Amino acid sequence: MNEGKLYLCATPIGNLEDISLRVLRILKEADVIAAEDTRNSLHLLQHFDIHTPLTSYHEYNKYDKANALIAQMREGKTVALITDAGTPGISDPGEVLVRFCQEEGIEVTACPGPAACITGLILSGLSTRRFAFEGFLPHDKKEREAVLQELVGETRTIVLYEAPHHLRQTLQLLHETLGDRRITLCRELTKKFETVTPTTLEKAVARYESEEPRGEYVLVLEGISREAIEESAREKWLEMSIFDHVQYYTKQGTDKKEAMKKVAADRGISKRDVYQALLEEES
């Protein structure tokens, strides 16, 4: 018997008209639909008059259920995977099922469609050429702090997800860690009360001190410029004397001539200025 296949089916993130004709066909023809939340997905399927058997596949059963779904595909059944909203595999357990299928040699294909991260990005007004998708920040404090520190030097546009009850804390953490920079708050995307608000982190923090956050948010945050990174690094070097700065490199095995060249580049001065400062310090 031919082996089955896994279809990753993107579903609307709000507006039901965003579903594709291909996804509708696959959902009707599949042997089983694996859904993150069967109650939520049932509304979607009923709306489009789809009666394919439904089974749950979520964060808490993703390993055992992945094996069970693979067993069905081994028998020749076709599985359509959907998430609560958007594209499966993005900030949900779908990635585990995809990996298991690949390890077992089962074919996986995607029926692309809505994704909140891309929708928010293109509405943000910020650079779309390069971006980093972070999804939800980790709940674990230590892990969350590590991720935030990694974002300090991120030059790409950053895309985050956040629930309303965590929005205030997340905005405050971003402001405290990254400083003030441009951010676009995208709320309830594709839905009736969709709002897209370009602002700054400082203003966003102040706004939600008095305003109650409502709805699901996509936060699109400006990356730091390379010029700002260079300026920050230069400020750190300027806290050190030129003599100590040269010593920093020579202790690493760099010859003095090359060390002076690096110091000049780090501090934005000429090699002659470095040489003169060393003479004055040694005299």
Side-chain angles (χ1 to χ4, degrees):
M1 182 180 291
N2 292 330
E3 288 189 346
K5 188 173 181 178
L6 175 65
Y7 286 90
L8 306 175
C9 296
T11 53
I13 58 176
N15 193 319
L16 293 181
E17 293 178 359
D18 291 334
I19 200 162
S20 75
L21 295 175
R22 185 182 177 209
V23 166
L24 288 175
R25 178 177 61 81
I26 295 300
L27 293 179
K28 289 176 181 178
E29 294 178 355
D31 293 297
V32 62
I33 296 172
E36 188 174 8
D37 186 331
T38 54
R39 293 167 301 178
N40 181 67
S41 297
L42 193 58
H43 296 301
L44 174 76
L45 300 180
Q46 288 175 340
H47 180 83
F48 290 107
D49 196 28
I50 296 171
H51 305 285
T52 305
L54 196 60
T55 188
S56 64
Y57 176 79
H58 49 70
E59 183 66 28
Y60 303 104
N61 71 353
K62 60 186 178 183
Y63 297 109
D64 291 340
K65 196 54 172 283
N67 288 321
L69 291 170
I70 284 173
Q72 292 186 55
M73 285 182 272
R74 285 283 189 215
E75 296 172 355
K77 292 184 178 180
T78 298
V79 176
L81 178 67
I82 60 176
T83 184
D84 279 352
T87 300
I90 303 295
S91 286
D92 81 2
E95 61 183 358
V96 172
L97 182 56
V98 172
R99 185 173 73 248
F100 279 24
C101 284
Q102 289 177 342
E103 290 170 355
E104 294 294 324
I106 294 172
E107 186 179 356
V108 180
T109 192
C111 301
C117 56
I118 299 299
T119 306
L121 177 67
I122 63 175
L123 288 173
S124 69
L126 299 174
S127 174
T128 60
R129 191 177 73 84
R130 299 169 64 247
F131 66 95
F133 175 63
E134 282 294 335
F136 291 94
L137 289 175
H139 292 300
D140 179 77
K141 184 178 179 181
K142 193 171 182 180
E143 188 179 354
R144 183 171 63 245
E145 288 176 354
V147 169
L148 288 169
Q149 286 304 315
E150 289 174 359
L151 294 180
V152 170
E154 179 57 73
T155 59
R156 295 170 294 179
T157 301
I158 302 162
V159 184
L160 298 148
Y161 287 163
E162 195 49 273
H165 54 285
H166 289 309
L167 183 68
R168 284 193 182 113
Q169 180 190 25
T170 295
L171 290 174
Q172 288 169 354
L173 286 172
L174 289 170
H175 186 236
E176 291 168 5
T177 309
L178 309 181
D180 195 25
R181 58 176 79 176
R182 291 193 296 164
I183 186 173
T184 299
L185 285 76
C186 303
R187 171 182 166 273
E188 295 291 88
L189 288 172
T190 77
K191 299 177 184 178
K192 182 178 180 180
F193 298 106
E194 171 184 287
T195 56
V196 177
T197 309
T199 183
T200 65
L201 274 172
E202 184 176 357
K203 290 178 180 177
V205 169
R207 172 182 174 177
Y208 286 105
E209 283 178 355
S210 57
E211 184 178 323
E212 190 69 28
R214 296 181 184 280
E216 300 299 318
Y217 288 81
V218 177
L219 309 177
V220 188
L221 184 64
E222 181 180 44
I224 191 170
S225 68
R226 289 188 174 87
E227 292 78 9
I229 292 175
E230 291 171 2
E231 182 62 31
S232 177
R234 185 169 292 130
E235 288 176 359
K236 289 182 180 178
W237 288 124
L238 293 177
E239 294 173 1
M240 185 185 295
S241 72
I242 289 179
F243 177 81
D244 289 339
H245 197 162
V246 172
Q247 288 283 94
Y248 170 82
Y249 285 118
T250 57
K251 285 179 181 178
Q252 295 178 20
T254 306
D255 66 71
K256 190 172 182 179
K257 187 177 180 180
E258 182 63 25
M260 290 169 63
K261 185 178 178 182
K262 288 185 174 183
V263 169
D266 289 343
R267 304 173 83 94
I269 60 178
S270 69
K271 189 177 174 183
R272 180 184 292 275
D273 290 334
V274 175
Y275 180 71
Q276 186 62 40
L278 290 176
L279 285 179
E280 292 175 0
E281 202 153 349
E282 290 171 356
S283 62

